[in-house]
Amino acid sequence: MTERVGPGPAPVLFHEPGARWRAVAYGPVFCVVVLVVEMFTGPVVHWAALPVIAVALAGFSWVTVVAARRHVGVELTALTLRQGTEELPVVDIEAVLPPADARAHEPQRWETARVLGELSHVPRGRTAIGLRLRGGVFVRAWASDDDALRTALTGCIDR
């Protein structure tokens, strides 16, 4: 069993935020570019509409980023694996299973198992990683950089 020694949180071994805050700036930056182009090329400059559109785009992007960081973020410490809104103690992980074989006719048992993170499917752009938990239960973890998460998980459970 992994015991934490000393004060403070356990060090982060793997982290994917789910979304980056810079995405909130894309809409307003685009609106500024449009405003500059209008100032130099057109007879009409949309002084009132472009700032309103910039704020609306930033607002929608902010909501999307907050949701992605909450539901699609991944963090692994020596003590827990957090997949979206679900935390799994590392001591409950018995084995990290080999990657799926794309040429296999039958899926492996873990390929149809429950997805961690209280999601119905592995999020788009992520790759599933099979885990066998204590008691023989299979689950699917996931990450964009699945090789790095697989390596970090293997290192955690081998201690």
Side-chain angles (χ1 to χ4, degrees), residues 69-153:
R69 290 179 74 89
R70 182 171 297 143
H71 297 287
V72 192
V74 179
E75 186 174 274
L76 174 67
T77 67
L79 302 174
T80 61
L81 169 63
R82 183 182 59 80
Q83 299 259 250
T85 57
E86 183 176 352
E87 285 193 7
L88 176 69
V90 171
V91 297
D92 289 350
I93 301 172
E94 192 172 89
V96 178
L97 303 172
D101 182 7
R103 297 177 307 214
H105 294 294
E106 295 291 323
Q108 297 176 31
R109 285 183 55 194
W110 68 263
E111 291 181 82
T112 57
R114 180 180 75 83
V115 176
L116 292 175
E118 299 178 355
L119 300 171
S120 59
H121 299 290
V122 173
R124 185 175 24 184
R126 278 51 175 195
T127 302
I129 300 168
L131 302 177
R132 186 177 64 237
L133 304 180
R134 304 242 181 255
V137 176
F138 291 98
V139 294
R140 288 184 287 169
W142 41 265
S144 292
D145 188 356
D146 59 308
D147 292 330
L149 179 58
R150 183 182 302 280
T151 302
L153 278 167

